[in-house]
Amino acid sequence: MATARIKSEITGTVWKVLLAEGDAIQVESELMILESMKMEIPVESTVSGRIQTILVAPGDAVDEDQDLAIIELD
Amino acid sequence: MKAAVLREQNQPMEIEEVQISKPGPREVLVRPIAAGVCHSDLHFLDGSYPYMLPTILGHESAGVVEEVGKDVTYVKKGDHVITCLSAFCGHCNKCLTGHLSLCQSPEVSRPPEVESRLSIGGETVHQFLNLSSFAELMLIHEHALVKVREDMPMDRAALIGCSTTTGVGAVFHTAGVEPGSIVAVIGCGGVGLAAINGAAIAGASMVIAVDMVDSKLELAKAVGATHTINARSGNAVGEVLELTKGGCDYTFEAIGLKATAEQAFQMLCSGGTATIIGMIPVGTMVELHGVDFLMEKKIQGSNMGSNRFRIDMPRFVDFYLNGKLHLDQMISKHIKLADVNTALHALKSGEEARHVIMFDQ
């Protein structure tokens, strides 16, 4: 099964994860919310498929370009 | 209460009825009297900076305290306040080393498991930068506001809530401009004009304003620019280098573009410092000539003027009231909340300074 990784565009902290492993996800679906410099920044999927693994949890610090989730592609 | 709700990027905001929660222990309910419409709001409206939707934009306001939470001692009902997006926790490493504007602590907002401060029929409305000032009421953390003198006009006070603090603060705090310095400011919107005004207050010997709109260059002169350059000539860097006979000690970029950030660096003399204030879109890379670092040229970012707003803002109020800070010229129009979309559209054109929403009192 081909997979893709959703990456963070920005350094910040995971505020809330909106979906769970196993959930279907579409392009532009919101996967989680990061907080950076007091901004709530949505992380949107760049692919369609099913969430295989969520690599971070609320409260985790994330760096720019860090992998946030692995998606099994449709 | 009524508020301008953004549900989709690049679409007009709609005035909707929004429910606002009761103040938590350390929260303050503020009734805004004035709210500036800032170019930064536009970055979130057009999606160059993503944000959770629906939201209520607006982050530059002044108002009156309506109600306080049970643990709030700093303000009381009736106090005049300016709000600020640089809400600080007060006990993290950044706060305790004096860098309050870099505080990243989430504790000034409500955690996800708690009722949101703003909602519509049970649907969460995401509070913008812990403020959301395009609304008749604001529920904010007590560390997101500062008390100010009651003789300060509220529309001018609102500007101090963001653009003044960002521009003047970049000059005073981030860059630390010394008297006699040569300064150039690229972009003469609200923040750029504040940086020009700040450079003049700091005692810069030459303050060069760079913009593509003649009316803004005229405004720049009115607030302290000694020279102006219309960048439509296509050679702003060359003109600055010629005018200064070798470059500036300090440059400030107040637009948020890759090209102008690079120009700010190119305008420096040896040992000079470029400060990037503008919000460059996420994902954009800035390119510099590596050899320039041998000349000790420096480039740095500035967030909200590296402020300590509880100290800075009352001082800026004094600066205005004693004639040093020129805020009257910054306001091009007073509008109603319902006209906020028109005000944001006017900002896009670059022709006007700032519209300020005045709420019914």
Side-chain angles (χ1 to χ4, degrees):
Chain A
M1 176 70 74
T3 61
R5 288 169 181 261
I6 307 299
K7 292 176 179 292
S8 174
E9 282 193 317
I10 200 159
T11 299
T13 305
V14 180
W15 189 69
K16 189 176 188 180
V17 178
L18 302 169
L19 297 173
E21 291 177 358
D23 284 353
I25 191 166
Q26 306 298 317
V27 174
E28 295 186 356
S29 295
E30 286 165 356
L31 172 61
M32 63 183 69
I33 304 172
L34 303 182
E35 185 171 87
S36 179
M37 294 311 294
K38 310 286 167 59
M39 298 186 285
E40 288 177 27
I41 298 170
V43 175
E44 295 181 348
S45 181
T46 51
V47 296
S48 293
R50 190 166 298 279
I51 300 171
Q52 182 193 80
T53 314
I54 295 176
L55 302 164
V56 293
D60 286 356
V62 297
D63 291 323
E64 184 179 340
D65 266 343
Q66 181 176 331
D67 292 338
L68 301 174
I70 302 170
I71 311 296
E72 290 177 356
L73 300 178
D74 283 340
Chain B
M1 66 156 182
K2 289 197 163 34
V5 179
L6 177 68
R7 291 188 174 274
E8 196 176 342
Q9 278 155 352
N10 284 311
Q11 295 299 314
M13 291 171 279
E14 299 284 344
I15 306 300
E16 297 188 34
E17 194 64 33
V18 176
Q19 286 80 52
I20 190 161
S21 182
K22 296 291 286 179
R26 300 192 65 190
E27 291 177 339
V28 180
L29 187 66
V30 175
R31 183 172 295 282
I33 304 299
V37 181
C38 175
H39 208 277
S40 302
D41 293 308
L42 204 51
H43 291 307
F44 292 93
L45 179 70
D46 69 17
S48 55
Y49 274 74
Y51 209 84
M52 288 302 296
L53 300 177
T55 190
I56 298 166
L57 298 177
H59 61 280
E60 183 180 85
S61 61
V64 176
V65 172
E66 188 81 9
E67 188 180 343
V68 300
K70 68 180 177 64
D71 292 339
V72 174
T73 56
Y74 173 67
V75 286
K76 63 182 185 310
K77 182 177 169 62
D79 282 347
H80 288 207
V81 296
I82 299 175
T83 65
C84 183
L85 65 89
S86 299
F88 56 93
C89 74
H91 52 77
C92 69
N93 287 348
K94 294 298 181 190
C95 287
L96 292 176
T97 53
H99 304 98
L100 282 76
S101 62
L102 296 179
C103 174
Q104 295 254 31
S105 171
E107 68 183 59
V108 294
S109 53
R110 287 190 176 179
E113 63 274 16
V114 172
E115 178 200 32
S116 60
R117 287 174 179 154
L118 303 166
S119 61
I120 298 176
E123 176 193 21
T124 294
V125 174
H126 296 272
Q127 191 173 34
F128 181 59
L129 306 175
N130 292 309
L131 295 176
S132 284
S133 63
F134 295 162
E136 291 175 331
L137 289 168
M138 300 168 68
L139 182 59
I140 62 180
H141 193 276
E142 63 170 328
H143 284 179
L145 56 75
V146 56
K147 274 188 287 194
V148 291
R149 294 165 55 168
E150 294 193 7
D151 55 344
M152 180 65 184
M154 284 289 189
D155 56 345
R156 273 68 170 165
L159 303 191
I160 290 175
C162 177
S163 59
T164 302
T165 294
T166 302
V168 179
V171 172
F172 288 6
H173 300 315
T174 317
V177 171
E178 308 97 348
S181 303
I182 296 176
V183 172
V185 177
I186 306 174
C188 297
V191 171
L193 290 169
I196 288 165
N197 199 162
I201 294 170
S205 61
M206 185 183 273
V207 184
I208 306 166
V210 182
D211 202 285
M212 297 174 80
V213 179
D214 284 332
S215 60
K216 288 195 166 177
L217 292 172
E218 285 304 311
L219 262 179
K221 281 185 199 168
V223 301
T226 57
H227 300 75
T228 60
I229 291 174
N230 190 319
R232 283 195 190 280
S233 67
N235 186 27
V237 173
E239 289 187 51
V240 167
L241 295 179
E242 188 178 334
L243 194 60
T244 57
K245 298 183 171 53
C248 301
D249 300 304
Y250 296 97
T251 58
F252 297 88
E253 196 276 356
I255 301 173
L257 294 174
K258 166 187 166 65
T260 43
E262 291 166 357
Q263 287 169 9
F265 191 68
Q266 292 159 10
M267 289 174 183
L268 296 173
C269 66
S270 300
T273 302
T275 301
I276 309 303
I277 312 173
M279 294 175 66
I280 297 175
V282 175
T284 302
M285 306 297 282
V286 174
E287 294 173 274
L288 307 171
H289 291 285
V291 71
D292 287 343
F293 293 114
L294 289 175
M295 309 302 288
E296 296 194 2
K297 295 182 183 180
K298 298 171 275 292
I299 188 164
Q300 62 182 347
S302 179
N303 182 288
M304 281 295 291
S306 309
N307 72 76
R308 311 82 40 91
F309 73 88
R310 285 229 177 139
I311 295 170
D312 297 332
M313 291 185 179
R315 289 180 179 172
F316 296 158
V317 166
D318 290 341
F319 276 158
Y320 170 73
L321 291 172
N322 66 24
K324 292 189 175 76
L325 192 60
H326 306 292
L327 298 178
D328 299 344
Q329 297 93 327
M330 304 286 192
I331 300 173
S332 54
K333 194 183 278 187
H334 293 98
I335 61 169
K336 297 282 187 189
L337 177 63
D339 299 323
V340 64
N341 291 305
T342 309
L344 280 163
H345 187 72
L347 277 177
K348 275 187 193 171
S349 74
E351 294 287 339
E352 288 196 58
R354 216 169 202 73
H355 291 192
V356 175
I357 298 166
M358 298 302 293
F359 294 89
D360 295 331
Q361 296 177 44

